[in-house]
Amino acid sequence: MLTKTVLSALTAALALTAVPSLASAGGGKGHRFDVCQAVTCTDAQAKQVDSLKDAKKAATKPLREQSKSVRAELHAEMAKSNPDSARVESLRAELQTLRAQSKAHREAYFAQLKEVLTAEQVAKLEQMKAEHKKNFKGKKGDKGKKRA
């Protein structure tokens, strides 16, 4: 149940960073959502948004690296013929902690972002977020659901 809640929160948060219909084709993995392109920021707002994104990226880099490492450890443990259940649970708990920390960073970023944007821009962003959530609800199947 907690995993489903965490995944729901992540999906909602990602709605602001990965709306495919509004994504700009860029380098790296897939498409990235450009807030200022979607809500038509002023030059000053664009600079502030870029600064916020850069700060968030730098602050969350250690969390992303640690999450990647823990997921690899969990995958390796699960690939064993007889995985250590205590180790698996420990790694899962560590991943949940890292996800919660990442979520806190995202929430702080979005709160700061809302301070930069006008009320109309925030409303448009919220509408897009709701549409994204509606369009992608259930698209990932049963990923993340705990098996009985």
Side-chain angles (χ1 to χ4, degrees), residues 6-20:
V6 170
L7 285 176
S8 296
L10 288 173
T11 302
L14 288 174
L16 293 175
T17 59
V19 177

Side-chain angles (χ1 to χ4, degrees), residues 9 33 36 40-41 45 49 71 78 107-108 111 115 125 138 145:
F33 178 69
C36 284
T40 316
C41 294
Q45 285 176 315
V49 169
R71 279 192 309 272
M78 294 299 291
E107 289 173 348
E115 291 176 12
L125 208 53
K145 286 189 176 180

Side-chain angles (χ1 to χ4, degrees), residues 48-137:
Q48 287 179 294
V49 169
D50 286 343
S51 177
L52 289 174
K53 281 194 282 190
D54 291 344
K56 181 180 79 90
K57 186 175 180 179
T60 59
K61 184 177 181 177
L63 290 174
R64 288 190 310 272
E65 291 172 351
Q66 191 175 0
S67 291
K68 184 177 179 179
S69 173
V70 172
R71 279 192 309 272
E73 285 182 61
L74 179 59
H75 181 73
E77 188 65 38
M78 294 299 291
K80 292 180 180 177
S81 60
N82 189 19
D84 179 358
S85 61
R87 179 74 179 140
V88 168
E89 287 305 312
S90 172
L91 291 168
R92 285 183 177 167
E94 189 174 349
L95 272 176
Q96 283 187 329
T97 299
L98 292 168
R99 287 178 184 139
Q101 291 171 355
S102 293
K103 181 181 178 183
H105 280 282
R106 277 190 311 279
E107 289 173 348
Y109 165 75
F110 292 126
Q112 293 169 332
L113 183 64
K114 288 178 180 181
E115 291 176 12
V116 172
L117 302 176
T118 65
E120 293 82 17
Q121 290 169 322
V122 170
K124 184 174 181 180
L125 208 53
E126 292 292 339
Q127 178 187 5
M128 291 165 43
K129 177 181 170 183
E131 288 173 13
H132 177 76
K133 187 174 182 179
K134 182 181 107 181
N135 290 339
F136 288 92
K137 185 175 182 173

Side-chain angles (χ1 to χ4, degrees), residues 15-39:
L16 293 175
T17 59
V19 177
S21 63
L22 298 169
S24 58
K29 295 181 181 178
H31 301 284
R32 294 286 175 204
F33 178 69
D34 184 350
V35 171
C36 284
Q37 183 180 10
V39 299

